Amino acid sequence: MPIFVPAEQCEGVDTGPIVTAAPPSQDTMWARLQSVVWRVEEGTLPPAALVAITDPAQPLEAAVSAAGASGTDLATFPLLALPTYALAPFYRAEIGRRLPKLR
């Protein structure tokens, strides 16, 4: 599942090997997105800005602006852009009620 992160936040980050297999409980994109949102809400992931990319052609800056997160300090606050356009309409609406998340 792609999650888009501004390049400024990736400098110097060593992610180690990239695991492409989904955890057994998150075998769909919907389940994985829901897990990320839930973990930010519950505080098991650091505070972050979660914004939706609603169209595959939507630039990251446009998604951030539409979410009201243009003032996010990317040097100190993680920003994740979630590709909600790839979800079925029902799931897009479900997760859309929980975004943007600006914590």
Side-chain angles (χ1 to χ4, degrees):
M1 171 189 68
I3 294 180
F4 302 95
V5 180
E8 299 86 16
Q9 293 184 339
C10 297
E11 292 177 15
V13 174
D14 180 11
T15 61
I18 296 174
V19 178
T20 58
S25 64
Q26 299 174 14
D27 59 349
T28 66
M29 182 178 170
W30 159 247
R32 295 184 88 181
L33 283 176
Q34 189 174 20
S35 177
V36 168
V37 174
W38 176 80
R39 291 187 66 197
V40 169
E41 289 173 344
E42 294 297 311
T44 58
L45 283 177
L50 304 177
V51 300
I53 297 179
T54 57
D55 183 288
Q58 183 180 33
L60 182 57
E61 295 82 11
V64 171
S65 179
S70 295
T72 301
D73 180 0
L74 300 180
T76 59
F77 199 67
L79 174 81
L80 303 176
L82 310 175
T84 60
Y85 63 83
L87 297 172
F90 171 80
Y91 296 118
R92 192 175 322 127
E94 282 295 307
I95 205 159
R97 287 192 264 282
R98 297 166 66 192
L99 296 177
K101 185 72 55 194
L102 308 174
R103 299 174 47 97

